[in-house]
Amino acid sequence: MTILITGANRGIGAEMMLQYQAKNQRVIGTTRGPESRDFLSFDVTCESSAKDLGQSLETQGIDLLVCNAGVYLDKGRYSGDDLPADMWAQTFAANVTGVYKTIEATLPALRRAQSPKIAIIGSQMGTRDKAQGGSYIYRASKAAVINLTFNLAHDLRSEGIAVGVYHPGWVQTDMGGDEGHVTPTESATQLIGHFARLSMTRSGEFLAFDGTPHAL
Ligand SMILES: NC(=O)c1ccc[n+]([C@@H]2O[C@H](COP(=O)([O-])OP(=O)(O)OC[C@H]3O[C@@H](n4cnc5c(N)ncnc54)[C@H](OP(=O)(O)O)[C@@H]3O)[C@@H](O)[C@H]2O)c1
């Protein structure tokens, strides 16, 4: 089984990569840094970088794509705070367009696998259920990627590609901060379990950290 994880150089992505490697799975991580033995260089906001990724995978099959890379640029900002258009653009470029472009670049490699799956790291912050105000840009981007998941699941069903979106918990990473409720290790363990259970019958699922279907 070959797994591709975007943004695997730190945070939840790095922990997922370590845990898969410990299970002797082949993992290709992506980083915005230089390439190395286990890492391809990939900026999800850069179209030519996505094309390069697609070319690097030209002869390979990818069984599981994990769209994990993301940014939270308006953390701690509320109504009335300055939310520059550029911050909206950068966030959507990474968290929404970046996910789509990653999938687009990886689809040929996914089609070469037996039972391909796509796992998208969303967030409960994109739901109405957890609409507690503030962080409008991040929340809107995660709402968009949850919607993207549902529509990709619909369209990729005929090809046998399962797609799901997952809330990883409030995780102690650079993004989540020290107050997070779960460690990256706990989060990655849960996510890996969810991805293992993802199948065509479950395609289109949106799961909470504990694996229950998340309210929208
Ligand atoms: N932490 C939480 O509590 C929490 C909760 C809900 C959802 N999430 C989601 O979980 C995912 C991982 O979050 P995390 O907490 O692990 O965050 P993190 O520690 O900040 O790591 C983010 C990762 O994404 C990469 N990245 C950002 N922009 C990128 C770009 N343009 N191209 C390629 N890679 C890019 C970063 O690479 P660089 O090192 O190059 O910046 C880094 O590897 C994100 O999608 C996040 O929204 C996190």
Side-chain angles (χ1 to χ4, degrees), residues 7 9-10 12 32 43-44 68 121-122 138 142 168-169 171 173:
N9 56 298
R10 62 188 171 95
I12 303 166
R32 285 192 282 187
D43 181 338
V44 301
N68 165 77
I121 307 301
Y138 182 74
K142 288 299 182 181
V171 193
T173 60

Side-chain angles (χ1 to χ4, degrees), residues 83-104:
L83 298 175
D86 190 45
M87 192 181 277
W88 285 89
Q90 281 180 42
T91 304
F92 273 73
N95 294 2
V96 188
T97 319
V99 170
Y100 183 77
K101 285 286 162 190
T102 302
I103 293 168
E104 191 180 59

Side-chain angles (χ1 to χ4, degrees), residues 12-207:
I12 303 166
E15 186 57 38
M16 286 191 283
M17 185 161 174
L18 282 175
Q19 291 193 22
Y20 276 124
Q21 285 172 330
K23 293 173 192 285
N24 292 319
Q25 305 282 3
R26 177 167 179 259
V27 193
I28 304 167
T30 78
T31 173
R32 285 192 282 187
E35 295 204 0
S36 57
R37 194 173 63 101
D38 297 327
F39 282 91
L40 290 174
S41 186
F42 178 40
D43 181 338
V44 301
T45 65
C46 173
E47 195 137 31
S48 65
S49 186
K51 284 209 176 91
D52 291 346
L53 176 73
Q55 272 170 9
S56 305
L57 300 173
E58 227 163 36
T59 56
Q60 311 200 33
I62 298 291
D63 300 275
L64 171 64
L65 166 67
V66 184
C67 295
N68 165 77
V71 293
Y72 184 1
L73 303 178
D74 61 330
K75 191 172 184 180
R77 300 214 189 184
Y78 293 89
S79 166
D81 289 346
D82 186 28
L83 298 175
D86 190 45
M87 192 181 277
W88 285 89
Q90 281 180 42
T91 304
F92 273 73
N95 294 2
V96 188
T97 319
V99 170
Y100 183 77
K101 285 286 162 190
T102 302
I103 293 168
E104 191 180 59
T106 317
L107 260 181
L110 285 160
R111 288 182 177 128
R112 283 190 280 273
Q114 283 275 320
S115 306
K117 309 184 198 188
I118 300 171
I120 295 171
I121 307 301
S123 170
Q124 63 181 18
M125 287 180 71
T127 66
R128 181 189 169 119
D129 193 50
K130 298 284 176 190
Q132 293 154 345
S135 303
Y136 304 129
I137 305 176
Y138 182 74
R139 287 180 187 281
S141 73
K142 288 299 182 181
V145 87
I146 292 166
N147 182 274
L148 179 65
T149 304
F150 297 155
N151 285 287
L152 283 168
H154 176 274
D155 287 346
L156 295 176
R157 177 164 293 280
S158 59
E159 295 195 58
I161 302 177
V163 192
V165 60
Y166 303 89
H167 172 64
W170 182 9
V171 193
Q172 295 154 11
T173 60
D174 293 340
M175 183 185 291
D178 294 339
E179 326 84 75
H181 294 160
V182 291
T183 63
T185 307
E186 291 164 330
S187 176
T189 303
Q190 283 288 105
L191 291 168
I192 285 171
H194 303 335
F195 304 162
R197 287 182 286 276
L198 173 61
S199 63
M200 287 314 295
T201 49
R202 298 178 62 135
S203 190
E205 68 184 6
F206 171 29
L207 300 188

